[in-house]
Amino acid sequence: MIEVNNLKKEYREEETPTQALRGVTFSIAKGEFVSIMGPSGSGKSTLLHILSFLDRPTGGVYTFQGKSIDDMTDQELARVRNKDMGFVFQSFNLLARLSVYDNVEIPLLYSDIAPRHRKTLVEDSVRSVGLEEKLYTETGKLSGGQKQRVAIARALVTDPNIIFADEPTGNLDSQSGLQVMEILESLHNKGRTVVLVTHETQTAEFANRIIHVKDGMIESDNPVTTKHHHGRALK
């Protein structure tokens, strides 16, 4: 589904170029659950931005679902991003004064899905994260863990092929973090592709594979053999 080959990203600030990525190569198959880990400044956020079409690389090749992004216009990238990708962020990015329903519906407003179908899609998404009883509650009145579940429902509503989660447990207590990771795990078990960026080992171990990034390069890329998280709170 995702293939990157010798991916590079250089930022030019004043006259000194910064190498955020220095030649990264890996692929992610459909249905995989992959964690990307690395210290602050390692290049993991840059990598996520490129994988999720928010930024273009300055070198190397990125192929998404068989198509090189060099061959795609910005409009095409935006269309694929809205249709095929779902996003979950550390800061939730919800509109506090809108209801859960209205927040989850937002991605559908940019799609060509008929209004009469939207209600079903929103309700199904909200049910899948266990918040149906909060459907018409103002999002600002929910707990952090509930907000992140709303954000997951919003990511799911367009039925994306891949979900990108950027530090999704970063603002949550361990119990809420565990619930959020269990939801992402269950989505993966239903066949979704999930790419998670995190700096927490216990969160990363929900995946089947962990890619460690350091100084803009891949330090290691290994399957997860032991799962420590079950029945225990995430730190």
Side-chain angles (χ1 to χ4, degrees):
M1 179 175 237
I2 280 180
E3 211 167 322
V4 298
N5 203 328
N6 200 21
L7 208 61
K8 294 180 177 157
K9 181 67 186 183
E10 184 177 282
Y11 291 105
R12 291 196 167 274
E13 273 150 36
E14 281 145 28
E15 286 306 294
T16 337
T18 313
Q19 303 282 346
L21 294 175
R22 308 163 180 265
V24 169
T25 300
F26 62 88
S27 58
I28 295 174
K30 188 169 171 49
E32 266 197 286
F33 186 168
V34 180
S35 289
I36 298 173
M37 290 191 79
S40 188
S42 59
K44 67 178 189 291
S45 301
T46 302
L47 181 57
L48 185 78
H49 283 151
I50 291 171
L51 293 179
S52 60
F53 291 3
L54 283 175
D55 202 351
R56 287 181 183 261
T58 40
V61 181
Y62 172 21
T63 312
F64 181 73
Q65 300 192 132
K67 199 164 179 193
S68 165
I69 74 165
D70 289 343
D71 300 336
M72 297 163 83
T73 64
D74 288 349
Q75 284 84 351
E76 279 181 282
L77 291 185
R79 197 171 64 239
V80 172
R81 199 166 183 274
N82 289 335
K83 187 171 133 320
D84 289 337
M85 298 178 176
F87 297 92
V88 183
F89 305 94
Q90 178 174 346
S91 55
F92 320 133
N93 292 6
L94 299 167
L95 299 168
R97 296 192 119 147
L98 291 186
S99 68
V100 168
Y101 183 99
D102 290 339
N103 269 287
V104 173
E105 189 188 29
I106 288 170
L108 298 177
L109 306 177
Y110 299 98
S111 72
D112 42 16
I113 292 161
R116 66 178 184 281
H117 294 319
R118 284 184 199 154
K119 189 167 190 290
T120 316
L121 291 171
V122 171
E123 287 172 353
D124 287 350
S125 270
V126 172
R127 194 174 303 113
S128 72
V129 298
L131 284 177
E132 55 273 27
E133 77 287 358
K134 303 278 187 198
L135 196 59
Y136 296 107
T137 304
E138 239 182 69
T139 311
K141 298 196 165 92
L142 301 178
S143 71
Q146 289 171 329
K147 286 177 182 161
Q148 195 55 292
R149 282 151 64 190
V150 174
I152 293 172
R154 180 186 58 192
L156 286 176
V157 76
T158 55
D159 194 22
N161 288 326
I162 188 164
I163 290 173
F164 291 103
D166 190 1
E167 299 280 5
T169 60
N171 286 337
L172 304 178
D173 63 75
S174 56
Q175 192 51 45
S176 307
L178 186 64
Q179 284 182 332
V180 161
M181 291 313 302
E182 283 172 347
I183 291 171
L184 289 174
E185 186 175 50
S186 73
L187 295 173
H188 160 246
N189 290 339
K190 290 175 189 153
R192 303 258 177 196
T193 310
V194 181
V195 177
L196 168 75
V197 168
T198 180
H199 64 274
E200 297 166 355
T201 305
Q202 281 179 298
T203 306
E205 283 173 352
F206 273 84
N208 302 115
R209 172 181 164 200
I210 299 177
I211 298 174
H212 281 272
V213 182
K214 192 179 175 190
D215 300 330
M217 293 184 284
I218 291 183
E219 191 177 35
S220 64
D221 180 348
N222 294 313
V224 175
T225 45
T226 49
K227 300 243 176 182
H228 297 305
H229 54 271
H230 287 298
R232 229 174 58 179
L234 294 168
K235 287 232 164 53

